[in-house]
Amino acid sequence: MISANNVTYRVGKKALFEDVNIKFTEGNCYGVIGANGAGKSTFLKILSGQLETTNGDIVITPGQRLSVLEQDHFKYDEFPVLDTVIMGNQRLYDIMKEKEAIYSKEDFTDEDGIRASELEGEFAEMNGWEAESDAATLLNGLGIGPELHYSLMKDMNGNDKVKVLLARALFGNPDILLLDEPTNHLDLDAINWLEEFLINFENTVIVVSHDRYFLNKVCTQIADIDYGKIQLYAGNYDFWYESSQLLIRQMKEANKKKEEKIKELQDFISRFSANASKSKQATSRKRALEKIQLDDIRPSSRKYPYIDFRPNREIGNEVLQVENLSKTIDGVKILDNITFTLGHNDKVAFVGGNELAKTTFFRILMGEIEPDEGSYKWGVTTSQAYFPKDSTKEFDSDLTIVDWLTQFSEIKDATYVRGFLGRMLFAGDDGVKHLNVLSGGERVRCLLSKMMISGANILLLDEPTNHLDMESITALNNGLIKFPGVLLFSSRDHQIVETTANRIMEILPNGKLIDKITTYDEYLESDEMARKRQVYSADETEVDN
């Protein structure tokens, strides 16, 4: 068990948390939620001891081991992948290294023998002989194959490093597991594996995540951070949402009844306070009036943007024709003879772990790079708006947000443009912020404003939920569901894919395409074994239209 007792944490004069009392018990998975800036990551750092409280303390059951998902992706660059994972249990790793040092001695003494015997006993108690196989199992589950297990961390790409650090946190059955955004940079297969791992994990898990589907799948309780307080709700994210909304409705209804009673008492007092025969009753009602207290209903600190994509022109029957399209990068064919036709009702989700292939395909369709072979053709009635995965160049500018967005608007009126920014929570002076100082979340909201103001009838989005808080993700999800045009998108957010897409395309590691008209959950179920094996012949393309 881990608990926070009367915890206060101040940044300058501002109290981020004040008098927080909460217990996290064994056998539960707690999802920590709250608006951006509410202090979710800070709270995990307080629990792990990385930050000291201003007042109060954190108590962990004696003898229990706490494991944290590391955020420093370069910390273990000089270590092999397998060693990095085993270091998740530092004591076990230290024993392994001390044993190796003793056994490598040329002048092995009696003292060395005694020490080695002590270490072997402790090593066996900690299941040390299974350490390498356990670490390999975690890595394989997250998509890091055996050929990479002895590579140095510095030679791994960014996404694979994240997976190794996650395996490190999970290693050795920790008693308390703290995970801050564990699904970031994971493909959907790795997320599915992590969900199953946590569902079967029997100790305490405390996780911060913006992935609603993930929270619904793994959480038994929700810890909601709002205005420096933390309130626990039994159940998953959807249950929290319904419970919190029900609580507010109940408080409003209770206040309404109290207000009616207050008015009734005030009317009586006003009418009869000067009447001698009614004076005692009036005095009695005054005392009753003083006892009535309205519930303090404080509005949530959460803010939801309003995302609404409205095409300027209805799309025709001819949308997109892709024929025999291929592309090779660094000697690897990542797109191999891709062929399909889009209809005017298609909402296509590109899924699977081949991130580079998806991004490359979007860039080809937007004319940023050329295919090696094949062609594509947009219909004459189509217009496209694009959300790139990497928008660094877009924001390498000293323009203000308003001036930047005005470039893409047919109506060059500042008030009109500010209306789109206001929907995305850029109010007042936020419009004169310069592009080159924006945070990741602000950049994403700018790009979505640009897509809204474009009036395009085809949207291409490459991982649009990166850097967004849960409120913005929910708003984006709703906006995509309502969009009447054609969608081509990739996303690690399971709920967005499931609720938006009616057609699933997966570009396999060999560059071939699976294309199915189905929902995402149906696709996972029908092709689960084939997708896990991912054994496809060089000339195989599976199409089901």
Side-chain angles (χ1 to χ4, degrees), residues 357-407:
K358 289 182 283 188
T359 296
T360 300
F361 184 66
F362 286 148
R363 293 185 66 196
I364 289 173
L365 292 183
M366 292 306 297
E368 292 186 357
I369 55 177
E370 294 291 328
D372 297 333
E373 301 173 29
S375 63
Y376 65 93
K377 182 180 180 182
W378 292 106
V380 294
T381 63
T382 67
S383 56
Q384 300 82 35
Y386 176 45
F387 184 104
K389 178 184 273 188
D390 183 0
S391 60
T392 305
K393 291 182 180 179
E394 182 95 57
F395 293 94
D396 185 17
S397 168
D398 196 40
L399 284 174
T400 66
I401 298 175
V402 170
D403 290 341
W404 171 79
L405 188 59
T406 301
Q407 299 176 106

Side-chain angles (χ1 to χ4, degrees), residues 269-284:
I269 294 166
S270 177
R271 289 170 57 198
F272 298 110
S273 58
N275 188 319
S277 63
K278 299 283 188 179
S279 62
K280 286 186 178 181
Q281 294 178 42
T283 301
S284 174

Side-chain angles (χ1 to χ4, degrees), residues 240-257:
W240 160 81
Y241 184 80
E242 293 299 328
S243 298
S244 61
Q245 296 303 303
L246 176 61
L247 180 61
I248 292 172
R249 287 197 298 271
Q250 288 174 337
M251 291 174 70
K252 287 181 176 179
E253 289 171 3
N255 274 357
K256 185 178 179 181
K257 290 180 180 178

Side-chain angles (χ1 to χ4, degrees), residues 120-312:
E120 291 290 5
E122 190 175 356
F123 186 71
E125 287 179 4
M126 300 177 74
N127 294 320
W129 296 112
E130 287 79 39
E132 289 196 3
S133 62
D134 289 348
T137 298
L138 292 172
L139 289 168
N140 292 334
L142 288 166
I144 305 296
E147 70 280 3
L148 297 174
H149 291 185
Y150 295 94
S151 302
L152 289 178
M153 284 289 284
K154 66 182 179 183
D155 297 327
M156 305 288 283
N157 67 43
N159 287 352
D160 284 346
K161 274 189 177 182
V162 171
K163 292 180 178 180
V164 176
L165 293 176
L166 179 55
R168 179 188 180 279
L170 303 178
F171 177 76
N173 196 36
D175 300 291
I176 301 165
L177 182 57
L178 305 183
L179 302 174
D180 191 357
E181 297 291 357
T183 61
N184 278 3
H185 308 292
L186 294 187
D187 55 71
L188 288 168
D189 286 333
I191 293 174
N192 291 337
W193 180 90
L194 177 61
E195 288 168 355
E196 292 303 316
F197 181 95
L198 294 179
I199 288 169
N200 295 309
F201 188 73
E202 296 180 350
N203 298 330
T204 304
V205 182
I206 306 171
V207 56
V208 171
S209 178
H210 289 135
D211 189 326
R212 299 157 297 164
Y213 182 89
F214 177 78
L215 292 175
N216 278 331
K217 195 84 178 285
V218 306
C219 290
T220 58
Q221 297 198 51
I222 295 295
D224 179 29
I225 301 178
D226 213 353
Y227 290 110
K229 302 295 183 183
I230 304 179
Q231 185 169 350
L232 276 182
Y233 293 80
N236 60 16
Y237 177 80
D238 282 349
F239 191 83
W240 160 81
Y241 184 80
E242 293 299 328
S243 298
S244 61
Q245 296 303 303
L246 176 61
L247 180 61
I248 292 172
R249 287 197 298 271
Q250 288 174 337
M251 291 174 70
K252 287 181 176 179
E253 289 171 3
N255 274 357
K256 185 178 179 181
K257 290 180 180 178
K258 289 177 183 179
E259 286 168 351
E260 290 172 352
K261 184 64 175 177
I262 288 170
K263 188 176 187 307
E264 178 187 326
L265 292 171
Q266 286 174 337
D267 287 346
F268 186 92
I269 294 166
S270 177
R271 289 170 57 198
F272 298 110
S273 58
N275 188 319
S277 63
K278 299 283 188 179
S279 62
K280 286 186 178 181
Q281 294 178 42
T283 301
S284 174
R285 280 164 172 75
K286 282 182 181 178
R287 286 196 293 267
L289 181 61
E290 291 169 356
K291 292 179 181 179
I292 298 177
Q293 298 289 328
L294 294 178
D295 292 321
D296 181 18
I297 305 176
R298 198 174 188 183
S300 173
S301 60
R302 292 176 171 84
K303 294 181 179 180
Y304 289 83
Y306 178 69
I307 298 177
D308 186 20
F309 303 104
R310 297 185 181 181
N312 293 334

Side-chain angles (χ1 to χ4, degrees), residues 516 518-519 521-531:
K516 288 188 175 291
T518 182
T519 67
D521 283 347
E522 289 171 346
Y523 176 73
L524 288 177
E525 184 177 347
S526 64
D527 284 276
E528 185 172 6
M529 294 308 296
R531 294 175 68 258

